[in-house]
Amino acid sequence: MPDAGVVIRGGTVIDELGARRADVLIRDAHVVAVANGIEETSASRVLDAGGCAVAPGLVDLHAHLREPGREEAETVWSGARSAAVGGYTAVVAMPNTDPAIDSAAVVRHVLGLGAMAVCDVRVAGAITVGRAGERLAPLAEMAALGVRLFTDDGSGVQDARLMRRALEYASDLGVVLAQHCEDDALAAGGHMHEGEWSSRLGIPGAPAEAEEVMVARDLALARLTSARIHFLHLSTAGSLSLVGAAKSEGLPVSGEVAPHHFTLTDADVAGYDTRFKVNPPLRPRSDVEAVKEGLRSGVVDAIATDHAPHALEAKEVPFAEAPPGMLGLETALALALTELDLALDRILALMSWQPARIAGLTGEHGGPVTEGGPANLCVIDPEARWVVEPTRMASLSRNTPYGGRKVTGRVRHTVLRGEPVVIDGELQR
Ligand code: DOR
């Protein structure tokens, strides 16, 4: 049967080329027309976009989808649904699963699980076997399956010599290493940011320097090897200043920040609520301001969610025993729109086309909304006010610290390969 198509009507298209009022006609998974007054046929579906932005779908560089191994917290299927609700058409699944995504077999398995999902699921491969930091994982066999990002996220690669080898190898393969910057020895025993609040609360802290020494070391290694490196969830003023200086010097580095690092501070830990436990930890106000400044100045290339679902039982334990991590996919865009003093097109750059480039997804995600382009789109109502309700989330987990928070800006529709997978905020499958 010929595809009668989908018409997105009455919105403002916003992409890297700028903003213009236009309807968008989609057919056979592609954008076939971007123009005013597109006529729908009786058979075509119409998505209302009045007052909305029609944009390339969001791209998340950093989502923990937990499969294989922790399916009670999230699955590839449920994580993709959570992503679609959040406006994402592509997510990069982190490899700290059980088993870790450190071989072609596990990459194939996760990509297979993602094939039918409502979001394009890509994977990051581990840098070292089992993420144990001892031996390089078979990066080439994973790269041959299309893996473009490699990370031991959850931990940083502690051994500088191994990291150097990994950078050299990655550079030859044309892939990018993404580092979780945390010096294990310096961070040992810490459960929150070390500072005034950790002292007051009697919770052992890890200093900002545990992150910063690894950022500094890896910048030195990037200089040594000329390899590209991407810094995950940067959270301190010191880290951002190091990355800013490296960029000025011309090093091929990029960096992301997570929404919780521009919306929450270490003072939020005061209730010992484990939903506020995350790694890197929530930081003092001065770091939050530095993260916001990094987003304004361009030192930061992407907002990534670090979506980290955990089952209720896992988080219902004393603070020191709880695993770090919080949900992110369904609140990231609204938090950015609400909390950042940035125009929508800047936020879209940080959440769509810039991360698409870092993940090597250009051509499929994040590109301009033009004739012939792939129909991976989201429609955003920037004025919609809503309250975060954890029980209504598509994620299997509920560990968000934002329950009850009032936010402005909501994803109305998400279109994946021409299929409306979210219409008026409702998942279609
Ligand atoms: O808070 C975090 N949670 N930080 C990490 O690095 C890992 C993640 C997880 O997997 O739960």
Side-chain angles (χ1 to χ4, degrees):
M1 212 173 67
D3 183 349
V6 174
V7 180
I8 303 178
R9 176 172 298 294
T12 300
V13 172
I14 303 182
D15 59 18
E16 216 170 345
L17 303 177
R20 59 245 175 235
R21 285 296 300 272
D23 299 338
V24 178
L25 175 64
I26 295 162
R27 201 174 281 139
D28 298 320
H30 287 84
V31 172
V32 295
V34 182
N36 279 306
I38 292 177
E39 294 292 329
E40 69 259 25
T41 65
S42 56
S44 53
R45 301 170 76 180
V46 179
L47 301 181
D48 176 42
C52 296
V54 181
L58 308 185
V59 173
D60 189 15
L61 290 170
H62 196 146
H64 297 274
L65 301 186
R66 301 296 188 222
E67 198 174 2
R70 300 288 291 281
E71 291 83 355
E72 74 284 3
E74 199 78 286
T75 62
V76 169
W77 177 258
S78 67
R81 282 163 56 83
S82 188
V85 169
Y88 292 89
T89 55
V91 295
V92 179
M94 290 289 111
N96 62 337
T97 48
D98 187 12
I101 307 178
D102 64 357
S103 68
V106 188
V107 168
R108 254 191 228 102
H109 176 66
V110 177
L111 291 178
L113 292 169
M116 300 302 288
V118 293
C119 182
D120 191 355
V121 175
R122 305 300 176 101
V123 303
I127 297 172
T128 67
V129 174
R131 298 174 46 255
E134 284 161 12
R135 284 183 297 132
L136 277 190
L139 307 194
E141 70 173 44
M142 292 189 271
L145 294 173
V147 177
R148 288 291 167 267
L149 278 182
F150 290 87
T151 178
D152 276 1
D153 183 55
S155 325
V157 176
Q158 303 297 311
D159 181 331
R161 180 183 162 89
L162 188 61
M163 189 61 189
R164 175 194 183 174
R165 293 282 170 253
L167 283 165
E168 287 167 346
Y169 197 25
S171 180
D172 288 347
L173 292 169
V175 299
V176 179
L177 295 195
Q179 184 75 289
H180 165 119
C181 290
E182 182 177 19
D183 182 288
D184 283 353
L186 203 47
H191 295 286
M192 67 176 293
H193 172 80
E194 179 182 302
E196 183 194 337
W197 277 99
S198 63
S199 306
R200 282 209 216 178
L201 299 171
I203 297 175
E209 286 75 4
E211 175 175 314
E212 292 158 2
V213 296
M214 193 171 280
V215 173
R217 183 203 74 177
D218 281 2
L219 289 172
L221 293 177
R223 205 173 286 116
L224 175 66
T225 59
S226 302
R228 280 200 54 199
I229 185 160
H230 175 70
F231 291 105
L232 301 169
H233 45 46
L234 292 168
S235 68
T236 78
S239 295
L240 291 160
S241 127
L242 286 164
V243 171
K247 284 187 164 190
S248 305
E249 188 193 323
L251 286 181
V253 299
S254 55
E256 64 176 45
V257 299
H260 41 271
H261 289 127
F262 60 76
T263 53
L264 303 170
T265 70
D266 56 350
D268 288 308
V269 177
Y272 298 90
D273 183 336
T274 59
R275 282 174 296 196
F276 292 89
K277 182 170 180 180
V278 66
N279 193 24
L282 300 178
R283 305 287 188 187
R285 176 66 54 199
S286 52
D287 290 313
V288 170
E289 291 308 322
V291 166
K292 289 185 174 178
E293 179 51 31
L295 286 161
R296 272 192 294 272
S297 69
V299 165
V300 175
D301 300 275
I303 295 171
T305 66
D306 200 359
H307 179 79
H310 289 289
L312 213 56
E313 311 80 75
K315 281 284 201 181
E316 278 183 346
V317 293
F319 200 86
E321 288 162 35
M326 49 179 72
L327 301 183
L329 287 165
E330 293 172 65
T331 47
L333 178 68
L335 290 168
L337 288 167
T338 309
E339 301 291 338
L340 297 175
D341 194 15
L342 290 177
L344 179 55
D345 63 334
R346 282 290 305 137
I347 289 175
L348 289 169
L350 290 157
M351 298 185 76
S352 178
W353 44 95
Q354 289 175 186
R357 235 172 251 139
I358 293 166
L361 297 177
T362 312
E364 288 168 273
H365 297 274
V369 184
T370 49
E371 272 179 46
N376 294 316
L377 306 171
C378 67
V379 177
I380 299 160
D381 181 348
E383 307 298 336
R385 291 167 187 274
W386 58 289
V387 177
V388 178
E389 280 183 73
T391 53
R392 298 200 51 189
M393 286 186 168
S395 170
L396 291 185
S397 289
R398 295 287 172 261
N399 56 305
T400 172
Y402 299 111
R405 192 160 172 137
K406 294 191 177 96
V407 287
T408 305
R410 187 161 211 175
V411 173
R412 227 175 131 188
H413 318 300
T414 306
V415 177
L416 178 70
R417 299 183 204 102
E419 179 195 347
V421 290
V422 173
I423 300 179
D424 279 322
E426 300 294 331
L427 281 158
Q428 301 299 296
R429 60 185 174 94

